[in-house]
Amino acid sequence: DSGVTQTPKHLITATGQRVTLRCSPRSGDLSVYWYQQSLDQGLQFLIQYYNGEERAKGNILERFSAQQFPDLHSELNLSSLELGDSALYFCASSVPGGSLGSSTDTQYFGPGTRLTVL
Amino acid sequence: KNQVEQSPQSLIILEGKNCTLQCNYTVSPFSNLRWYKQDTGRGPVSLTIMTFSENTKSNGRYTATLDADTKQSSLHITASQLSDSASYICVVSAYGGDLGNDMRFGAGTRLTVKP
């Protein structure tokens, strides 16, 4: 158990809908990362937040957005869902190594949310 | 073209044997390279993290090497166990400046350890 929790575990929805995935980082971790893992594209980095602020952005679509709240939990919002958005969505958190964390901080992954878009 | 290439795609070995997985990358400017182990349907678990100045790093029976000149890394698993059966993923981060670091993932090597 990494200490990172994600809800829900499974989510089934229809095309065009909007969903929200939730992540609670390990106690004390200020950085939260979101990743997408699909069968055809593998793991992809979406976005990173540090203490409520966006820190880095990867291959995140404009239909997707995220935020980190004052209690450090994070939410990933996916809208106008398409069949291709079906994937495992992972959240990870890391211990900050400095004022903005270190790029070599160990990331601890949650169990993931499996999203199925029908 | 993927900036992180892993080989082999899959590998089957007998319990107790050693194996080496490869990762070649073109990501630039290089920040760090990570190896993860991922069991099916579960989140990845960090094995090693190496920066430009590190040539080797060990974590128990796992030893990673990095050659920043040739942009190659390897993960060596010693005395394999059945529980080593998993996908092993190489991740290379590039400095993004004000945009923050970007991470590029390899497709992974699927390792199966048989008794």
Side-chain angles (χ1 to χ4, degrees), chain B residues 3-8 20-26 30 32-36 48-51 54-57 63-76 88-92 109:
Chain B
Q3 296 179 333
V4 181
E5 299 284 349
Q6 290 188 244
S7 61
T20 300
L21 314 180
Q22 299 290 341
C23 174
N24 296 339
Y25 62 93
T26 58
F30 178 85
N32 62 75
L33 185 147
R34 302 166 185 255
W35 282 96
Y36 285 96
T48 62
I49 306 169
M50 288 183 292
T51 59
E54 295 174 295
N55 301 118
T56 185
K57 186 162 279 190
T63 299
T65 64
L66 173 65
D67 186 334
D69 291 331
T70 61
K71 298 186 177 181
Q72 296 179 326
S73 176
S74 64
L75 180 70
H76 186 73
Y88 291 83
I89 302 171
C90 173
V91 185
V92 184
T109 291

Side-chain angles (χ1 to χ4, degrees), chain A residues 106-109, chain B residues 34-37 44-49 59:
Chain A
T106 297
Q107 294 182 28
Y108 297 88
F109 281 74
Chain B
R34 302 166 185 255
W35 282 96
Y36 285 96
K37 176 187 178 187
V45 174
S46 180
L47 296 176
T48 62
I49 306 169
N59 179 359

